[in-house]
Amino acid sequence: MNHVRELLGRRQKHFLTVPCAGGVQKLDVSDIYYVEICDHDLLFHTKQGEVHSTGSMRDVEQKLPPENFFRSSKAYLVNLEHVDGIQDEDAIVNGERVQISRAKRKAFLAALNHYMGETI
């Protein structure tokens, strides 16, 4: 029963407020495909499109639920909910290839298997 409650708790909406040009934007965490660091800025790839923001990847990583997000490399933070597969050295997220570093590949696959096992 506790396991069911935990799974239902994951389905509750969680939001992240990020600074962007001219103000802030509220993002539904489940709508984030992945976060990319690009030219010292953050780029949130979401269902609604790309959101450019400032800040550090470390700060974003700490604000997002660790059971759903995994840092696949220095440049990417991936929402495991949206991983469609693995091809070569990359994760396929919403039809796009996202790099998995060699050093994090084993841990990424373990986190993905754990996530998939808990959501089935």
Side-chain angles (χ1 to χ4, degrees):
M1 196 63 157
N2 288 336
H3 181 68
V4 172
R5 274 189 229 136
E6 181 181 323
L7 291 176
L8 289 174
R10 281 190 188 172
R11 292 187 182 158
Q12 291 178 355
K13 290 205 177 238
H14 295 91
F15 294 96
L16 177 68
T17 304
V18 297
C20 59
V24 295
Q25 187 163 349
K26 183 170 127 180
L27 301 175
D28 185 337
V29 169
S30 66
D31 287 349
I32 299 171
Y33 296 127
Y34 61 96
V35 183
E36 176 182 10
I37 194 91
C38 186
D39 294 331
H40 302 287
D41 290 327
L42 296 172
L43 183 57
F44 290 82
H45 296 264
T46 72
K47 288 182 180 179
Q48 292 74 28
E50 295 180 351
V51 175
H52 294 265
S53 180
T54 58
S56 74
M57 186 70 90
R58 182 178 298 201
D59 289 343
V60 172
E61 189 175 11
Q62 290 174 349
K63 292 177 183 175
L64 292 170
E67 62 274 0
N68 288 38
F69 286 83
F70 190 88
R71 184 91 176 258
S72 65
S73 71
K74 277 182 146 181
Y76 295 101
L77 180 61
V78 177
N79 187 343
L80 299 173
E81 177 181 352
H82 296 291
V83 175
D84 299 321
I86 305 292
Q87 188 173 27
D88 301 323
E89 301 299 316
D90 301 325
I92 307 301
V93 182
N94 191 42
E96 297 180 45
R97 293 175 75 118
V98 176
Q99 177 188 21
I100 305 170
S101 72
R102 246 186 249 141
K104 296 198 176 200
R105 183 171 174 75
K106 187 175 180 180
F108 180 86
L109 293 173
L112 183 60
N113 283 333
H114 180 74
Y115 177 83
M116 295 300 206
E118 293 228 346
T119 59
I120 294 179

